[in-house]
Amino acid sequence: MTYNRLESFSIVLLVPKWIHRVQSKKQESTFYVTPDHPYEILLFFRCHINTRFDVSIDICGVNCPSQEQRLRVLYQLPTTQYNSCIRIKIGVNEITIVSSVISISPSAGRWEREVWDTSGVHFSNYLGLCRILTDYGFEGHPLRKDFPLSGYVEVRYNDLEKCVVYELIEMAQEFCYFDLASPWQA
Amino acid sequence: MFLRRFAGPLLGKVKESTGLVGLEVVPNAREVLIKLYKETLESVEDIPTYAEYRKAVEKFTRFRLKVCEEEQEWEKIEQRINGGQVEELIVMAKDELMLMDKMKEWKPWEVPEDHKIEIIQDDTPIPAHVPRHRSLFTLDPFVPPPKEEVERENERLRKRAEEKTKIGAQ
């Protein structure tokens, strides 16, 4: 029994209070959910017999600066029972706290830490929420659109002090000659 | 009389293992399933009849209960229900019961009046970076059930809750 888009509309009717948009492309549906209820909707999707979306493969954070809700948390859930996949999106801003789903699927622990580290979405009810991919003492959230590609700080080994030193970034422009008169001639 | 009771599990095929790690074979799966489904149907009474959730739960629980009562062997039950092994069905039924308790607390069928649900259907093959948004139709505002029905259901639920407290107090 494959789960197709006709059924995605019937799912909306089961939990209408929490969903405010459904997008279905080919055979994958995306549900846009109100930001207060990720825990409830994930538990519903996991336990309800028609929608046994019990695995949590990915939780990632997306930064869309043009939208009102700047940050989005995206949950990807496949089902082993019905062999399909859905996506759940939540739109939050930088200060909103989202409830953690770690009690439903423990693998979410690692994903939520990554979302906190890269995009800055804070999760409640999570005891060990700390950085996982960036350096110790790193400030800022790298996957946000206002964070520059090269970052703010660079690291180098200082011979005098015999240790690794953090300094503000310095980009040497030795081999760049910006002659904007004509791009084709040397 | 006793022959039928004791020969039942001997006549049917014995399942050696489910093939899944962590799921043990339940020899009296049929009875366990029937009990769970009856519990589910009873527990669903606490949800108002206009809720889609209740209709969905009743629909599949009744079908599965009917199949379990008609068939005696676990193999035939599995084939007819077509939802995996009997042990998995037991797990699903237990999960549904647990979920129902929580749904009674959260009540997702009580929708505020100006709640809009947008539905977008997109089948054409477009590259992913091109922004497209074709809204077919919006279910706006969400059509709530008629007020008499809501009041009637609230009355019935209140009486049910009172009866439960009385039985608990006795």
Side-chain angles (χ1 to χ4, degrees), chain B residues 1 4 6 14 43 46 70 83 110 121-122 127 130 141 146 163:
Chain B
M1 174 173 85
R4 174 92 186 180
F6 296 132
V14 171
S43 161
D46 278 338
E70 281 173 16
E110 278 172 16
Q121 236 178 53
D122 211 351
V130 176
E163 274 170 37

Side-chain angles (χ1 to χ4, degrees), chain A residues 3-10 24-29, chain B residues 121-123:
Chain A
Y3 166 75
N4 57 20
R5 68 160 179 271
L6 290 172
E7 294 179 20
S8 71
F9 301 150
S10 56
S24 76
K25 186 164 180 172
K26 294 184 187 179
Q27 286 207 335
E28 291 181 2
S29 320
Chain B
Q121 236 178 53
D122 211 351
D123 269 333

Side-chain angles (χ1 to χ4, degrees), chain B residues 4 7 12 17 20 41 45-46 51 60 82 85 89 103 115 123 131 143 153 165:
Chain B
R4 174 92 186 180
S17 95
L20 300 163
L41 282 175
E45 296 286 329
D46 278 338
F60 57 72
N82 200 17
Q85 304 199 34
L89 291 174
M103 294 293 249
H115 187 83
D123 269 333
V143 178
E153 287 296 321
T165 44

Side-chain angles (χ1 to χ4, degrees), chain A residues 16-17 19 22 24 49 81, chain B residues 83 96 110 115 118 120 122:
Chain A
K17 188 163 131 188
I19 300 182
V22 177
S24 76
I49 292 189
Q81 180 88 26
Chain B
E96 187 68 41
E110 278 172 16
H115 187 83
E118 217 182 303
I120 307 166
D122 211 351

Side-chain angles (χ1 to χ4, degrees), chain A residues 36-59:
Chain A
D36 310 322
H37 307 113
Y39 177 81
E40 284 98 338
I41 212 164
L42 279 176
L43 190 69
F44 167 75
F45 276 125
R46 170 175 268 253
C47 297
H48 187 62
I49 292 189
N50 271 346
T51 62
R52 294 276 300 176
F53 293 105
D54 39 9
V55 190
S56 153
I57 21 175
D58 190 20
I59 304 178

